[in-house]
């Protein structure tokens, strides 16, 4: 049986992670939120693909090799000499929380066009996942919305993690209008509490969430670090606690959560269940979210991104 693929579009970059014992030293890790989700799905045993552009440089070659080493399908990846692979320097505080310094733009991931994506990608039903970081420049935003429309035309599920990184935007803050436009086109949405507050712009949280759910989104989840995870559909809501774990590095925890969530949805599709079936099964929703929480918690206890994401053995 051909498994349902999770196809992740957007940035893949080098995370230079600060050494906690020698703050002047940085270690190279593969990263980038959509790439992390692709690897998370693959490490859990799912079928994942990455869609994006890399620089034809030493960092681009490293990232391509890393993705392939985790069995991520890279047939929709392209490389270019027109820009370098993006870099991010990540500093950690004593609690393992991060601050970022990005070397982007210019960067290769911003140069991907819808026509770079092979037509055969859409021949099998799947899930398209992306983040707001692929909206930061006009051309890549155009590509993002074009891919979402293609996915919808072919009956795919669309997943969006807001993943706001304000310092990637030339104005210094994410465009609420563009991000909300993308959220309204998604089927499943993941926000953090901070992102919810920013996008709601002073409005009542619950009222704003209800408004978003009147559009296409059918399942929306709000995370809060070590706080409770809130799950909303058009007809029901619940919260689940997050276990307290020793936190070393939170770098890819949210991506691990999303990867485990999408992996389980894709598995349901492979087993012949529909998204409507899942939305009508409250117990199944709780199980999926509890397992997604577990994946995020496991990731917090390791350094890095790809390497920190849990394997199926660790997660099961």
């Amino acid at each position: 049986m051909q498994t349902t693929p999770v196809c992740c579009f957007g940035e893949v970059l080098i995370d230079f992670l600060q050494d906690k014992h020698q703050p002047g030293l940085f270690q190279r890790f593969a990263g980038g939120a959509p790439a992390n989700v692709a690897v998370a799905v693959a490490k859990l045993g799912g079928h994942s693909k990455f869609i994006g552009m890399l620089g034809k440089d030493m960092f681009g070659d490293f990232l391509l090799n890393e993705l392939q080493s985790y069995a991520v399908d890279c047939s929709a990846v392209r490389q270019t000499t027109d820009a370098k692979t993006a870099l991010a320097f990540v500093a950690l505080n004593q609690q393992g929380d991060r601050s970022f310094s990005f070397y982007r733009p210019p960067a290769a991931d911003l140069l991907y066009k819808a026509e770079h994506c092979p037509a055969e990608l859409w021949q099998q039903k799947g899930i398209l996942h992306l983040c707001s970081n692929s909206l930061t420049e006009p051309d890549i935003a155009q590509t993002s919305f074009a891919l979402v429309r293609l996915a919808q035309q072919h009956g795919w599920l669309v997943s969006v993690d807001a993943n706001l990184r304000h310092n990637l935007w030339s104005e210094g803050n994410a465009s609420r209008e563009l991000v909300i436009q993308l959220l309204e086109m998604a089927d499943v949405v993941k926000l953090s509490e901070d992102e919810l507050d920013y996008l709601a712009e002073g409005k009542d949280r619950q009222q704003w969430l209800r408004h978003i759910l009147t559009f296409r989104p059918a399942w929306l989840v709000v995370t809060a670090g070590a706080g409770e995870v809130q799950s909303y559909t058009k007809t029901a809501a619940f919260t689940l606690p997050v276990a307290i774990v020793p936190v070393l590095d939170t770098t890819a925890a949210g991506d691990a959560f999303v990867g485990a969530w999408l992996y389980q949805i894709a598995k349901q599709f492979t087993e012949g269940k529909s998204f409507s079936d899942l939305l009508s099964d409250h117990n199944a929703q709780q199980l999926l979210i509890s397992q997604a929480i577990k994946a995020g918690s496991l990731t917090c206890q390791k350094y890095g991104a790809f390497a920190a994401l849990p394997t199926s053995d660790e997660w099961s």
Side-chain angles (χ1 to χ4, degrees):
M1 180 187 295
Q2 206 171 26
T3 57
T4 302
V6 178
C7 301
C8 303
F9 168 68
E11 83 275 13
V12 56
L13 47 78
I14 301 291
D15 282 333
F16 283 101
L17 189 61
Q18 186 180 47
D19 190 302
K20 291 190 75 171
H21 304 292
Q22 301 182 73
L25 295 180
F26 290 81
Q27 185 176 356
R28 179 184 68 174
F29 291 93
N36 290 340
V37 172
V39 172
V41 171
K43 290 182 75 171
L44 293 176
H47 180 191
S48 74
K49 301 186 180 186
F50 185 73
I51 307 168
M53 184 74 75
L54 290 166
K56 200 165 184 59
D57 52 38
M58 63 183 293
F59 291 131
D61 292 342
F62 168 75
L63 290 169
L64 184 59
N65 289 335
E66 283 287 287
L67 286 167
Q68 291 173 333
S69 74
Y70 289 105
V72 174
D73 183 334
C74 293
S75 57
V77 173
R78 301 291 178 263
Q79 287 186 274
T80 181
T81 57
D82 292 338
K84 298 293 186 183
T85 302
L87 309 177
F89 286 81
V90 187
L92 299 173
N93 64 19
Q94 292 300 314
Q95 288 72 46
D97 291 324
R98 309 147 296 160
S99 60
F100 293 88
S101 179
F102 290 98
Y103 287 72
R104 174 187 185 263
D109 65 281
L110 300 173
L111 302 182
Y112 201 87
K113 305 291 185 186
E115 54 265 31
H116 289 139
C117 198
E120 56 267 24
L121 177 79
W122 310 107
Q123 292 175 1
Q124 178 189 1
K125 293 292 176 67
I127 299 171
L128 177 68
H129 174 72
L130 65 164
C131 305
S132 69
N133 295 349
S134 60
L135 301 178
T136 57
E137 302 289 329
D139 287 348
I140 197 63
Q142 182 177 340
T143 299
S144 298
F145 287 115
L147 291 177
V148 168
R149 287 190 291 270
L150 276 168
Q152 291 172 341
Q153 288 167 15
H154 289 85
W156 284 38
L157 201 74
V158 175
S159 162
V160 172
D161 177 4
N163 194 50
L164 298 182
R165 297 288 179 262
H166 295 287
N167 52 350
L168 286 176
W169 298 73
S170 58
E171 300 84 1
N173 286 295
S175 165
R176 289 186 180 89
E177 180 182 0
L178 272 181
V179 175
I180 291 171
Q181 182 183 345
L182 184 62
L183 298 183
E184 289 174 350
M185 296 174 73
D187 299 286
V188 297
V189 171
K190 186 256 183 193
L191 302 171
S192 69
E193 277 200 329
D194 289 346
E195 291 163 351
L196 172 57
D197 287 339
Y198 177 78
L199 294 171
E201 200 176 4
K203 299 183 181 69
D204 177 79
R205 282 182 174 186
Q206 297 300 313
Q207 182 181 347
W208 187 87
L209 289 169
R210 284 195 296 272
H211 172 71
I212 291 295
L213 286 167
T214 63
F215 293 89
R216 188 179 177 98
W219 195 358
L220 188 154
V221 167
V222 181
T223 61
E228 288 186 328
V229 172
Q230 306 160 51
S231 172
Y232 302 90
T233 65
K234 295 181 188 296
T235 58
F238 63 85
T239 60
L240 287 178
V242 174
I244 302 300
V245 298
V247 175
L248 208 57
D249 173 15
T250 61
T251 297
D255 303 325
F257 178 99
V258 173
W261 188 22
L262 296 181
Y263 163 71
Q264 293 173 98
I265 294 174
K267 191 174 179 182
Q268 298 252 333
F269 291 171
T270 300
E271 293 170 354
K273 298 172 186 173
S274 70
F275 193 45
S276 297
D277 293 336
L278 183 54
L279 294 176
S280 65
D281 189 337
H282 186 74
N283 290 333
Q285 291 170 42
Q286 287 196 321
L287 177 61
L288 264 63
I289 296 301
S290 67
Q291 286 297 103
I293 291 170
K294 182 178 180 181
S297 297
L298 287 167
T299 302
C300 285
Q301 299 175 62
K302 298 180 183 178
Y303 280 118
F306 290 7
L309 296 163
T311 63
S312 57
D313 288 342
E314 293 168 327
W315 182 63
S316 59

